[in-house]
Amino acid sequence: MDLLSALHSFVRVAATGSFSAVSRETGASQPTISRHIALLEAHYGTTLFARTTRSLMMTEDGRSLLPHAYEVLEILETAETVLGRRRASVSGLVRLGVTTAFGLYLTNRINELLQKHPDLSVELIMRDAFGDLVEEGLDLAIRVGQIAEGSLIARKLGSVRRSLVMSPHNFQPKQPLLHPRDLMGEACVVFTYGGGRQDWHFFCNDEESVVAPQTAFRANSSEAALHAVQAGVGIGLLPEFQVRGLLASGELVEVIPDWAVPSMPLYAVHTGPRTLPLRTRTVLDFLIEISADVLAPPT
C-alpha cells in the first residue's frame, strides 16, 4: 500500500507541479509527500522530478512513468467504485465550480439529484472567471471555451449557443439592424468572460463579419450583463439557454437573427485521478444529463 500511496502522490505532484499543493489537497504533510516521491525514485532507481529552490520539473523518466501510474490507480479505483456502488450509498460533499448562468440553471434542477442521494451534499462556487481548482479545493468545475491547462482532465458536455439580443421595450436602435456592420455606433453590453478582446464574430453562408462592439457597459458576470440588456442599456451577446425564456415571452428579441454566432464548448473539468470517487462521479453524471437539456436547440 505504501507504493500505491506513493503513486497517488506522484500523479498529483505531476498534475499540480507542487508538493505543498498536494499536501494541502490531501491533508498529508509535505515531508510525507516528499517521502512518497523518494520511495518511488528508490524503487525504480531513477529521478522523477528535477528540483530547484524555485521550480519543480518532471524528468523524462517521470513522464514515462506517469501514464502507467494513472493506469494502475484507475484500475484500482474502478474496482473500488464498482464494489462501492454495490455496498454503499452515495455520500459526502462535492465542491463544484460553475459559471453563473449554468449555476442558476443547475440550482433549479439540483433537487432531482439530492432526492435520489439524500446523503450527498453539493456546494456551488459560482463565478464566470476561471480559477485554480486545487487552490479553491474544487472537485469539479464547469468551464466555457477551450481548456488550456494540460493538467486538467476534461469531459466535453456540449456547445453553448449564443444569441445577440436586446429589449424591444427599453432599447431603440439608431437604425435598422440587418447586418453586423449596423451594430457600429450602437450601445452594446459586453460579457467579459475569459478576458482579452471581446470582438463579436458573425457568419452567414460563406460571409464572415467581425465587429468590435461599442461598449456602453461590460461585466464579468453573465447575470449582470443580462440585467443590463433587459434594462435597455444596449445590445448583448449572451448564452442562448440563459435568454431562451425571455425570447419566448417577448421580453427580449434577437438582433440580426440571420447571422450565426459561433458556439463555445462547455466542459466539466477536474484534476484527477481519471476514475473519480463515487460521489464526484455521480455529480458529473448528473451534469452530463442536464447539460443535454440546457444545450439542446430550443423547440
PDB file of all heavy atoms in Angstrom, residues 49-82:
ATOM      1  N   PHE A  49      11.616  13.851 -10.522  1.00  0.00           N
ATOM      2  CA  PHE A  49      11.464  15.306 -10.597  1.00  0.00           C
ATOM      3  C   PHE A  49      12.827  15.960 -10.407  1.00  0.00           C
ATOM      4  O   PHE A  49      13.602  15.561  -9.525  1.00  0.00           O
ATOM      5  CB  PHE A  49      10.509  15.819  -9.517  1.00  0.00           C
ATOM      6  CG  PHE A  49       9.089  15.370  -9.683  1.00  0.00           C
ATOM      7  CD1 PHE A  49       8.606  14.294  -8.954  1.00  0.00           C
ATOM      8  CD2 PHE A  49       8.244  16.024 -10.571  1.00  0.00           C
ATOM      9  CE1 PHE A  49       7.305  13.869  -9.102  1.00  0.00           C
ATOM     10  CE2 PHE A  49       6.937  15.599 -10.724  1.00  0.00           C
ATOM     11  CZ  PHE A  49       6.457  14.524  -9.993  1.00  0.00           C
ATOM     12  N   ALA A  50      13.115  16.968 -11.225  1.00  0.00           N
ATOM     13  CA  ALA A  50      14.307  17.792 -11.040  1.00  0.00           C
ATOM     14  C   ALA A  50      13.896  18.973 -10.183  1.00  0.00           C
ATOM     15  O   ALA A  50      13.013  19.747 -10.560  1.00  0.00           O
ATOM     16  CB  ALA A  50      14.848  18.251 -12.391  1.00  0.00           C
ATOM     17  N   ARG A  51      14.514  19.100  -9.010  1.00  0.00           N
ATOM     18  CA  ARG A  51      14.098  20.103  -8.039  1.00  0.00           C
ATOM     19  C   ARG A  51      15.128  21.220  -7.928  1.00  0.00           C
ATOM     20  O   ARG A  51      16.331  20.960  -7.887  1.00  0.00           O
ATOM     21  CB  ARG A  51      13.908  19.472  -6.661  1.00  0.00           C
ATOM     22  CG  ARG A  51      12.982  18.254  -6.631  1.00  0.00           C
ATOM     23  CD  ARG A  51      13.140  17.517  -5.295  1.00  0.00           C
ATOM     24  NE  ARG A  51      12.326  16.338  -5.163  1.00  0.00           N
ATOM     25  CZ  ARG A  51      12.623  15.142  -5.644  1.00  0.00           C
ATOM     26  NH1 ARG A  51      13.750  14.971  -6.337  1.00  0.00           N
ATOM     27  NH2 ARG A  51      11.814  14.115  -5.447  1.00  0.00           N
ATOM     28  N   THR A  52      14.652  22.444  -7.890  1.00  0.00           N
ATOM     29  CA  THR A  52      15.477  23.589  -7.527  1.00  0.00           C
ATOM     30  C   THR A  52      14.725  24.334  -6.441  1.00  0.00           C
ATOM     31  O   THR A  52      13.612  23.969  -6.075  1.00  0.00           O
ATOM     32  CB  THR A  52      15.734  24.518  -8.735  1.00  0.00           C
ATOM     33  OG1 THR A  52      14.503  25.165  -9.080  1.00  0.00           O
ATOM     34  CG2 THR A  52      16.246  23.735  -9.935  1.00  0.00           C
ATOM     35  N   THR A  53      15.329  25.389  -5.935  1.00  0.00           N
ATOM     36  CA  THR A  53      14.657  26.165  -4.883  1.00  0.00           C
ATOM     37  C   THR A  53      13.437  26.887  -5.424  1.00  0.00           C
ATOM     38  O   THR A  53      12.557  27.279  -4.666  1.00  0.00           O
ATOM     39  CB  THR A  53      15.621  27.201  -4.278  1.00  0.00           C
ATOM     40  OG1 THR A  53      16.135  28.033  -5.332  1.00  0.00           O
ATOM     41  CG2 THR A  53      16.763  26.499  -3.551  1.00  0.00           C
ATOM     42  N   ARG A  54      13.342  27.056  -6.751  1.00  0.00           N
ATOM     43  CA  ARG A  54      12.253  27.842  -7.325  1.00  0.00           C
ATOM     44  C   ARG A  54      11.317  27.041  -8.228  1.00  0.00           C
ATOM     45  O   ARG A  54      10.247  27.533  -8.583  1.00  0.00           O
ATOM     46  CB  ARG A  54      12.827  29.009  -8.141  1.00  0.00           C
ATOM     47  CG  ARG A  54      13.572  30.025  -7.299  1.00  0.00           C
ATOM     48  CD  ARG A  54      14.002  31.197  -8.158  1.00  0.00           C
ATOM     49  NE  ARG A  54      14.658  32.230  -7.369  1.00  0.00           N
ATOM     50  CZ  ARG A  54      15.122  33.368  -7.873  1.00  0.00           C
ATOM     51  NH1 ARG A  54      14.992  33.614  -9.174  1.00  0.00           N
ATOM     52  NH2 ARG A  54      15.707  34.259  -7.086  1.00  0.00           N
ATOM     53  N   SER A  55      11.713  25.851  -8.635  1.00  0.00           N
ATOM     54  CA  SER A  55      10.880  25.137  -9.595  1.00  0.00           C
ATOM     55  C   SER A  55      10.943  23.632  -9.369  1.00  0.00           C
ATOM     56  O   SER A  55      11.828  23.115  -8.679  1.00  0.00           O
ATOM     57  CB  SER A  55      11.303  25.459 -11.032  1.00  0.00           C
ATOM     58  OG  SER A  55      12.617  24.965 -11.280  1.00  0.00           O
ATOM     59  N   LEU A  56       9.964  22.955  -9.968  1.00  0.00           N
ATOM     60  CA  LEU A  56       9.873  21.500  -9.899  1.00  0.00           C
ATOM     61  C   LEU A  56       9.532  21.026 -11.301  1.00  0.00           C
ATOM     62  O   LEU A  56       8.452  21.313 -11.812  1.00  0.00           O
ATOM     63  CB  LEU A  56       8.785  21.084  -8.910  1.00  0.00           C
ATOM     64  CG  LEU A  56       8.620  19.585  -8.646  1.00  0.00           C
ATOM     65  CD1 LEU A  56       9.806  19.055  -7.854  1.00  0.00           C
ATOM     66  CD2 LEU A  56       7.329  19.334  -7.883  1.00  0.00           C
ATOM     67  N   MET A  57      10.449  20.311 -11.931  1.00  0.00           N
ATOM     68  CA  MET A  57      10.265  19.856 -13.305  1.00  0.00           C
ATOM     69  C   MET A  57      10.288  18.334 -13.361  1.00  0.00           C
ATOM     70  O   MET A  57      11.136  17.693 -12.733  1.00  0.00           O
ATOM     71  CB  MET A  57      11.376  20.425 -14.203  1.00  0.00           C
ATOM     72  CG  MET A  57      11.405  21.941 -14.272  1.00  0.00           C
ATOM     73  SD  MET A  57      10.026  22.594 -15.232  1.00  0.00           S
ATOM     74  CE  MET A  57      10.473  22.010 -16.868  1.00  0.00           C
ATOM     75  N   MET A  58       9.353  17.755 -14.099  1.00  0.00           N
ATOM     76  CA  MET A  58       9.336  16.312 -14.252  1.00  0.00           C
ATOM     77  C   MET A  58      10.437  15.883 -15.223  1.00  0.00           C
ATOM     78  O   MET A  58      10.651  16.508 -16.259  1.00  0.00           O
ATOM     79  CB  MET A  58       7.972  15.846 -14.773  1.00  0.00           C
ATOM     80  CG  MET A  58       7.782  14.335 -14.701  1.00  0.00           C
ATOM     81  SD  MET A  58       6.164  13.812 -15.339  1.00  0.00           S
ATOM     82  CE  MET A  58       5.096  14.706 -14.221  1.00  0.00           C
ATOM     83  N   THR A  59      11.156  14.818 -14.875  1.00  0.00           N
ATOM     84  CA  THR A  59      12.200  14.298 -15.749  1.00  0.00           C
ATOM     85  C   THR A  59      11.582  13.432 -16.838  1.00  0.00           C
ATOM     86  O   THR A  59      10.391  13.121 -16.832  1.00  0.00           O
ATOM     87  CB  THR A  59      13.200  13.459 -14.947  1.00  0.00           C
ATOM     88  OG1 THR A  59      12.520  12.296 -14.434  1.00  0.00           O
ATOM     89  CG2 THR A  59      13.786  14.251 -13.785  1.00  0.00           C
ATOM     90  N   GLU A  60      12.412  13.008 -17.778  1.00  0.00           N
ATOM     91  CA  GLU A  60      11.935  12.132 -18.852  1.00  0.00           C
ATOM     92  C   GLU A  60      11.422  10.818 -18.282  1.00  0.00           C
ATOM     93  O   GLU A  60      10.392  10.294 -18.728  1.00  0.00           O
ATOM     94  CB  GLU A  60      13.080  11.875 -19.845  1.00  0.00           C
ATOM     95  CG  GLU A  60      12.665  11.072 -21.058  1.00  0.00           C
ATOM     96  CD  GLU A  60      11.616  11.778 -21.906  1.00  0.00           C
ATOM     97  OE1 GLU A  60      11.627  13.017 -21.952  1.00  0.00           O
ATOM     98  OE2 GLU A  60      10.769  11.075 -22.500  1.00  0.00           O
ATOM     99  N   ASP A  61      12.120  10.265 -17.266  1.00  0.00           N
ATOM    100  CA  ASP A  61      11.641   9.032 -16.634  1.00  0.00           C
ATOM    101  C   ASP A  61      10.315   9.269 -15.916  1.00  0.00           C
ATOM    102  O   ASP A  61       9.449   8.390 -15.892  1.00  0.00           O
ATOM    103  CB  ASP A  61      12.693   8.499 -15.645  1.00  0.00           C
ATOM    104  CG  ASP A  61      13.858   7.820 -16.344  1.00  0.00           C
ATOM    105  OD1 ASP A  61      13.702   7.473 -17.535  1.00  0.00           O
ATOM    106  OD2 ASP A  61      14.915   7.641 -15.715  1.00  0.00           O
ATOM    107  N   GLY A  62      10.170  10.446 -15.319  1.00  0.00           N
ATOM    108  CA  GLY A  62       8.899  10.767 -14.681  1.00  0.00           C
ATOM    109  C   GLY A  62       7.766  10.798 -15.685  1.00  0.00           C
ATOM    110  O   GLY A  62       6.673  10.282 -15.434  1.00  0.00           O
ATOM    111  N   ARG A  63       8.020  11.422 -16.854  1.00  0.00           N
ATOM    112  CA  ARG A  63       6.987  11.463 -17.887  1.00  0.00           C
ATOM    113  C   ARG A  63       6.666  10.068 -18.414  1.00  0.00           C
ATOM    114  O   ARG A  63       5.520   9.781 -18.783  1.00  0.00           O
ATOM    115  CB  ARG A  63       7.429  12.382 -19.027  1.00  0.00           C
ATOM    116  CG  ARG A  63       7.358  13.867 -18.671  1.00  0.00           C
ATOM    117  CD  ARG A  63       7.588  14.737 -19.893  1.00  0.00           C
ATOM    118  NE  ARG A  63       8.984  14.714 -20.313  1.00  0.00           N
ATOM    119  CZ  ARG A  63       9.913  15.541 -19.854  1.00  0.00           C
ATOM    120  NH1 ARG A  63       9.590  16.465 -18.967  1.00  0.00           N
ATOM    121  NH2 ARG A  63      11.144  15.464 -20.295  1.00  0.00           N
ATOM    122  N   SER A  64       7.655   9.185 -18.431  1.00  0.00           N
ATOM    123  CA  SER A  64       7.411   7.810 -18.879  1.00  0.00           C
ATOM    124  C   SER A  64       6.568   7.034 -17.871  1.00  0.00           C
ATOM    125  O   SER A  64       5.732   6.199 -18.247  1.00  0.00           O
ATOM    126  CB  SER A  64       8.748   7.084 -19.106  1.00  0.00           C
ATOM    127  OG  SER A  64       9.492   7.696 -20.133  1.00  0.00           O
ATOM    128  N   LEU A  65       6.796   7.298 -16.594  1.00  0.00           N
ATOM    129  CA  LEU A  65       6.063   6.584 -15.554  1.00  0.00           C
ATOM    130  C   LEU A  65       4.616   7.053 -15.436  1.00  0.00           C
ATOM    131  O   LEU A  65       3.717   6.271 -15.095  1.00  0.00           O
ATOM    132  CB  LEU A  65       6.776   6.760 -14.206  1.00  0.00           C
ATOM    133  CG  LEU A  65       6.075   6.161 -12.968  1.00  0.00           C
ATOM    134  CD1 LEU A  65       5.928   4.641 -13.111  1.00  0.00           C
ATOM    135  CD2 LEU A  65       6.833   6.526 -11.695  1.00  0.00           C
ATOM    136  N   LEU A  66       4.361   8.318 -15.742  1.00  0.00           N
ATOM    137  CA  LEU A  66       3.054   8.921 -15.446  1.00  0.00           C
ATOM    138  C   LEU A  66       1.864   8.157 -16.037  1.00  0.00           C
ATOM    139  O   LEU A  66       0.904   7.863 -15.303  1.00  0.00           O
ATOM    140  CB  LEU A  66       3.051  10.377 -15.910  1.00  0.00           C
ATOM    141  CG  LEU A  66       1.816  11.195 -15.533  1.00  0.00           C
ATOM    142  CD1 LEU A  66       1.624  11.233 -14.020  1.00  0.00           C
ATOM    143  CD2 LEU A  66       1.928  12.615 -16.083  1.00  0.00           C
ATOM    144  N   PRO A  67       1.841   7.820 -17.337  1.00  0.00           N
ATOM    145  CA  PRO A  67       0.657   7.107 -17.846  1.00  0.00           C
ATOM    146  C   PRO A  67       0.453   5.753 -17.200  1.00  0.00           C
ATOM    147  O   PRO A  67      -0.686   5.301 -17.014  1.00  0.00           O
ATOM    148  CB  PRO A  67       0.934   6.999 -19.352  1.00  0.00           C
ATOM    149  CG  PRO A  67       2.406   7.185 -19.501  1.00  0.00           C
ATOM    150  CD  PRO A  67       2.815   8.102 -18.402  1.00  0.00           C
ATOM    151  N   HIS A  68       1.540   5.074 -16.825  1.00  0.00           N
ATOM    152  CA  HIS A  68       1.412   3.772 -16.161  1.00  0.00           C
ATOM    153  C   HIS A  68       0.862   3.944 -14.742  1.00  0.00           C
ATOM    154  O   HIS A  68       0.060   3.121 -14.278  1.00  0.00           O
ATOM    155  CB  HIS A  68       2.777   3.071 -16.129  1.00  0.00           C
ATOM    156  CG  HIS A  68       3.366   2.835 -17.477  1.00  0.00           C
ATOM    157  ND1 HIS A  68       2.811   1.958 -18.396  1.00  0.00           N
ATOM    158  CD2 HIS A  68       4.445   3.393 -18.090  1.00  0.00           C
ATOM    159  CE1 HIS A  68       3.534   1.972 -19.502  1.00  0.00           C
ATOM    160  NE2 HIS A  68       4.532   2.829 -19.339  1.00  0.00           N
ATOM    161  N   ALA A  69       1.288   5.014 -14.071  1.00  0.00           N
ATOM    162  CA  ALA A  69       0.759   5.282 -12.730  1.00  0.00           C
ATOM    163  C   ALA A  69      -0.731   5.558 -12.798  1.00  0.00           C
ATOM    164  O   ALA A  69      -1.519   5.051 -11.979  1.00  0.00           O
ATOM    165  CB  ALA A  69       1.503   6.477 -12.114  1.00  0.00           C
ATOM    166  N   TYR A  70      -1.154   6.354 -13.780  1.00  0.00           N
ATOM    167  CA  TYR A  70      -2.582   6.611 -13.964  1.00  0.00           C
ATOM    168  C   TYR A  70      -3.337   5.304 -14.199  1.00  0.00           C
ATOM    169  O   TYR A  70      -4.422   5.088 -13.667  1.00  0.00           O
ATOM    170  CB  TYR A  70      -2.807   7.549 -15.150  1.00  0.00           C
ATOM    171  CG  TYR A  70      -2.848   9.011 -14.788  1.00  0.00           C
ATOM    172  CD1 TYR A  70      -2.001   9.928 -15.408  1.00  0.00           C
ATOM    173  CD2 TYR A  70      -3.756   9.498 -13.850  1.00  0.00           C
ATOM    174  CE1 TYR A  70      -2.047  11.277 -15.092  1.00  0.00           C
ATOM    175  CE2 TYR A  70      -3.808  10.848 -13.527  1.00  0.00           C
ATOM    176  CZ  TYR A  70      -2.950  11.724 -14.148  1.00  0.00           C
ATOM    177  OH  TYR A  70      -3.007  13.057 -13.829  1.00  0.00           O
ATOM    178  N   GLU A  71      -2.756   4.445 -15.013  1.00  0.00           N
ATOM    179  CA  GLU A  71      -3.440   3.195 -15.354  1.00  0.00           C
ATOM    180  C   GLU A  71      -3.612   2.305 -14.128  1.00  0.00           C
ATOM    181  O   GLU A  71      -4.683   1.733 -13.900  1.00  0.00           O
ATOM    182  CB  GLU A  71      -2.653   2.461 -16.442  1.00  0.00           C
ATOM    183  CG  GLU A  71      -3.338   1.200 -16.948  1.00  0.00           C
ATOM    184  CD  GLU A  71      -2.580   0.555 -18.089  1.00  0.00           C
ATOM    185  OE1 GLU A  71      -1.518   1.086 -18.503  1.00  0.00           O
ATOM    186  OE2 GLU A  71      -3.049  -0.484 -18.579  1.00  0.00           O
ATOM    187  N   VAL A  72      -2.565   2.193 -13.311  1.00  0.00           N
ATOM    188  CA  VAL A  72      -2.645   1.372 -12.100  1.00  0.00           C
ATOM    189  C   VAL A  72      -3.714   1.922 -11.158  1.00  0.00           C
ATOM    190  O   VAL A  72      -4.573   1.188 -10.658  1.00  0.00           O
ATOM    191  CB  VAL A  72      -1.277   1.325 -11.395  1.00  0.00           C
ATOM    192  CG1 VAL A  72      -1.407   0.717 -10.000  1.00  0.00           C
ATOM    193  CG2 VAL A  72      -0.280   0.515 -12.220  1.00  0.00           C
ATOM    194  N   LEU A  73      -3.684   3.219 -10.918  1.00  0.00           N
ATOM    195  CA  LEU A  73      -4.650   3.820  -9.999  1.00  0.00           C
ATOM    196  C   LEU A  73      -6.064   3.735 -10.558  1.00  0.00           C
ATOM    197  O   LEU A  73      -7.024   3.544  -9.803  1.00  0.00           O
ATOM    198  CB  LEU A  73      -4.268   5.271  -9.731  1.00  0.00           C
ATOM    199  CG  LEU A  73      -2.950   5.474  -8.962  1.00  0.00           C
ATOM    200  CD1 LEU A  73      -2.607   6.956  -8.891  1.00  0.00           C
ATOM    201  CD2 LEU A  73      -3.037   4.886  -7.567  1.00  0.00           C
ATOM    202  N   GLU A  74      -6.193   3.862 -11.857  1.00  0.00           N
ATOM    203  CA  GLU A  74      -7.527   3.801 -12.460  1.00  0.00           C
ATOM    204  C   GLU A  74      -8.127   2.414 -12.297  1.00  0.00           C
ATOM    205  O   GLU A  74      -9.320   2.269 -12.004  1.00  0.00           O
ATOM    206  CB  GLU A  74      -7.450   4.176 -13.938  1.00  0.00           C
ATOM    207  CG  GLU A  74      -8.807   4.274 -14.603  1.00  0.00           C
ATOM    208  CD  GLU A  74      -8.733   4.919 -15.969  1.00  0.00           C
ATOM    209  OE1 GLU A  74      -7.655   5.410 -16.351  1.00  0.00           O
ATOM    210  OE2 GLU A  74      -9.763   4.923 -16.663  1.00  0.00           O
ATOM    211  N   ILE A  75      -7.316   1.374 -12.476  1.00  0.00           N
ATOM    212  CA  ILE A  75      -7.810   0.002 -12.310  1.00  0.00           C
ATOM    213  C   ILE A  75      -8.291  -0.214 -10.879  1.00  0.00           C
ATOM    214  O   ILE A  75      -9.379  -0.756 -10.634  1.00  0.00           O
ATOM    215  CB  ILE A  75      -6.706  -1.008 -12.676  1.00  0.00           C
ATOM    216  CG1 ILE A  75      -6.446  -0.981 -14.182  1.00  0.00           C
ATOM    217  CG2 ILE A  75      -7.103  -2.423 -12.231  1.00  0.00           C
ATOM    218  CD1 ILE A  75      -5.232  -1.772 -14.611  1.00  0.00           C
ATOM    219  N   LEU A  76      -7.485   0.220  -9.915  1.00  0.00           N
ATOM    220  CA  LEU A  76      -7.860   0.037  -8.517  1.00  0.00           C
ATOM    221  C   LEU A  76      -9.105   0.840  -8.156  1.00  0.00           C
ATOM    222  O   LEU A  76     -10.007   0.342  -7.473  1.00  0.00           O
ATOM    223  CB  LEU A  76      -6.697   0.455  -7.616  1.00  0.00           C
ATOM    224  CG  LEU A  76      -5.471  -0.467  -7.641  1.00  0.00           C
ATOM    225  CD1 LEU A  76      -4.341   0.165  -6.849  1.00  0.00           C
ATOM    226  CD2 LEU A  76      -5.811  -1.838  -7.080  1.00  0.00           C
ATOM    227  N   GLU A  77      -9.163   2.081  -8.628  1.00  0.00           N
ATOM    228  CA  GLU A  77     -10.309   2.917  -8.270  1.00  0.00           C
ATOM    229  C   GLU A  77     -11.581   2.477  -8.976  1.00  0.00           C
ATOM    230  O   GLU A  77     -12.682   2.637  -8.457  1.00  0.00           O
ATOM    231  CB  GLU A  77      -9.983   4.378  -8.570  1.00  0.00           C
ATOM    232  CG  GLU A  77      -8.960   4.930  -7.585  1.00  0.00           C
ATOM    233  CD  GLU A  77      -8.437   6.297  -7.991  1.00  0.00           C
ATOM    234  OE1 GLU A  77      -8.923   6.829  -9.009  1.00  0.00           O
ATOM    235  OE2 GLU A  77      -7.554   6.805  -7.297  1.00  0.00           O
ATOM    236  N   THR A  78     -11.430   1.909 -10.180  1.00  0.00           N
ATOM    237  CA  THR A  78     -12.602   1.353 -10.853  1.00  0.00           C
ATOM    238  C   THR A  78     -13.175   0.203 -10.046  1.00  0.00           C
ATOM    239  O   THR A  78     -14.403   0.086  -9.876  1.00  0.00           O
ATOM    240  CB  THR A  78     -12.233   0.875 -12.266  1.00  0.00           C
ATOM    241  OG1 THR A  78     -11.775   1.982 -13.032  1.00  0.00           O
ATOM    242  CG2 THR A  78     -13.438   0.243 -12.959  1.00  0.00           C
ATOM    243  N   ALA A  79     -12.302  -0.667  -9.545  1.00  0.00           N
ATOM    244  CA  ALA A  79     -12.765  -1.783  -8.718  1.00  0.00           C
ATOM    245  C   ALA A  79     -13.464  -1.276  -7.461  1.00  0.00           C
ATOM    246  O   ALA A  79     -14.528  -1.774  -7.072  1.00  0.00           O
ATOM    247  CB  ALA A  79     -11.586  -2.682  -8.342  1.00  0.00           C
ATOM    248  N   GLU A  80     -12.873  -0.255  -6.827  1.00  0.00           N
ATOM    249  CA  GLU A  80     -13.485   0.291  -5.615  1.00  0.00           C
ATOM    250  C   GLU A  80     -14.835   0.941  -5.926  1.00  0.00           C
ATOM    251  O   GLU A  80     -15.789   0.818  -5.150  1.00  0.00           O
ATOM    252  CB  GLU A  80     -12.547   1.322  -4.974  1.00  0.00           C
ATOM    253  CG  GLU A  80     -11.303   0.697  -4.364  1.00  0.00           C
ATOM    254  CD  GLU A  80     -10.395   1.744  -3.741  1.00  0.00           C
ATOM    255  OE1 GLU A  80     -10.755   2.926  -3.831  1.00  0.00           O
ATOM    256  OE2 GLU A  80      -9.352   1.375  -3.187  1.00  0.00           O
ATOM    257  N   THR A  81     -14.923   1.607  -7.084  1.00  0.00           N
ATOM    258  CA  THR A  81     -16.180   2.248  -7.454  1.00  0.00           C
ATOM    259  C   THR A  81     -17.261   1.225  -7.714  1.00  0.00           C
ATOM    260  O   THR A  81     -18.405   1.361  -7.273  1.00  0.00           O
ATOM    261  CB  THR A  81     -15.974   3.130  -8.702  1.00  0.00           C
ATOM    262  OG1 THR A  81     -15.033   4.152  -8.395  1.00  0.00           O
ATOM    263  CG2 THR A  81     -17.283   3.769  -9.143  1.00  0.00           C
ATOM    264  N   VAL A  82     -16.919   0.154  -8.452  1.00  0.00           N
ATOM    265  CA  VAL A  82     -17.899  -0.890  -8.756  1.00  0.00           C
ATOM    266  C   VAL A  82     -18.391  -1.545  -7.477  1.00  0.00           C
ATOM    267  O   VAL A  82     -19.599  -1.722  -7.263  1.00  0.00           O
ATOM    268  CB  VAL A  82     -17.286  -1.940  -9.703  1.00  0.00           C
ATOM    269  CG1 VAL A  82     -18.210  -3.143  -9.824  1.00  0.00           C
ATOM    270  CG2 VAL A  82     -17.034  -1.331 -11.069  1.00  0.00           C
TER     271      VAL A  82
END
